[in-house]
Amino acid sequence: MTHAPSARLLIVGPQGSGKGTQGVLVAEAFGVPQVATGDIFRENVKGGTDLGKQVQAIIEAGDLVPDELTSALVRDRLEQADAARGFVLDGYPRNRGQVDDLDAFLSGRDESLDAVIELVVPEEESIDRLRQRAIDQGRTDDTEEVIANRLAIYERETAPILDVYREHGLVVRVDGVGTLDDVTGRIFAALAERGLQPNGDGAAAGAA
Ligand code: AMP
């Protein structure tokens, strides 16, 4: 093993900003897991687990799962061995309480975030993409009413967490409008400007 640098990253943007796809590409390039709370919740709902039963109605309404439950889930995931060198968190933290929970967890391990990628996409564009996804994937929380609720929660609760991270100088703003490759290229360029580059040992090359 080479001494790959750590990469503890968040990717933040409204639903429909493409952060899921981009988060996977960034995670692959840095050789760290992508941790998407929405995906984990949906898998549990699909699998009919206790957690899934607890959160199903909340997800279908587009509301937020309680912080305690969500933060415990993320802590468990980040304690797994594959996240020792880092992670790309997608969809968490989503409000101020979760920012504090994550901070407490990381500082307890003498760790901190390296950067927060903000994907900037205008609301009309997000809505269009979510409508398309509803057709393509049939997600039960992609109905018009639930989409509106989720975007409202994003504006009210999630967008303000960027101010907190901005104060800490962590936010890398990236224009999320364009082709997938264009946006991926912008993300890697912006990370590289901060000295965050996937190791050039071959294993991580070619993700973009
Ligand atoms: P997403 O795939 O990120 O849009 O998440 C789908 C749904 O999962 C959200 O609408 C919430 O109901 C729930 N969820 C995902 N992440 C979180 C979080 N960090 N806090 C609370 N609820 C969440």
Side-chain angles (χ1 to χ4, degrees), residues 57-85:
I58 300 172
I59 289 175
E60 283 176 359
D63 291 327
L64 293 187
V65 174
D67 290 351
E68 217 172 290
L69 198 62
T70 309
S71 291
L73 182 89
V74 171
R75 278 196 298 272
D76 283 351
R77 181 63 190 88
L78 297 187
E79 274 166 355
Q80 290 175 30
D82 65 337
R85 260 198 336 96

Side-chain angles (χ1 to χ4, degrees), residues 15 19 37-39 41-42 58-59 62-67 70 90-94 98 133 139 141 150:
Q15 288 83 357
K19 69 186 162 58
T37 44
D39 290 347
F41 285 137
R42 273 187 296 279
I58 300 172
I59 289 175
D63 291 327
L64 293 187
V65 174
D67 290 351
T70 309
D90 165 6
Y92 179 95
R94 235 170 166 104
Q98 295 180 9
R133 190 172 75 185
R139 260 176 65 164
D141 59 351
R150 288 159 69 217

Side-chain angles (χ1 to χ4, degrees), residues 64-133:
L64 293 187
V65 174
D67 290 351
E68 217 172 290
L69 198 62
T70 309
S71 291
L73 182 89
V74 171
R75 278 196 298 272
D76 283 351
R77 181 63 190 88
L78 297 187
E79 274 166 355
Q80 290 175 30
D82 65 337
R85 260 198 336 96
F87 47 77
V88 176
L89 273 172
D90 165 6
Y92 179 95
R94 235 170 166 104
N95 60 23
R96 190 56 211 256
Q98 295 180 9
V99 168
D100 293 343
D101 289 344
L102 177 64
D103 207 43
F105 172 77
L106 291 177
S107 46
R109 302 191 345 158
D110 270 334
E111 293 171 4
S112 58
L113 294 174
D114 294 306
V116 176
I117 302 160
E118 177 187 4
L119 265 192
V120 183
V121 174
E123 182 165 301
E124 316 79 69
E125 171 108 11
S126 294
I127 292 174
D128 283 350
R129 293 189 195 175
L130 288 172
R131 283 190 184 129
Q132 190 55 46
R133 190 172 75 185

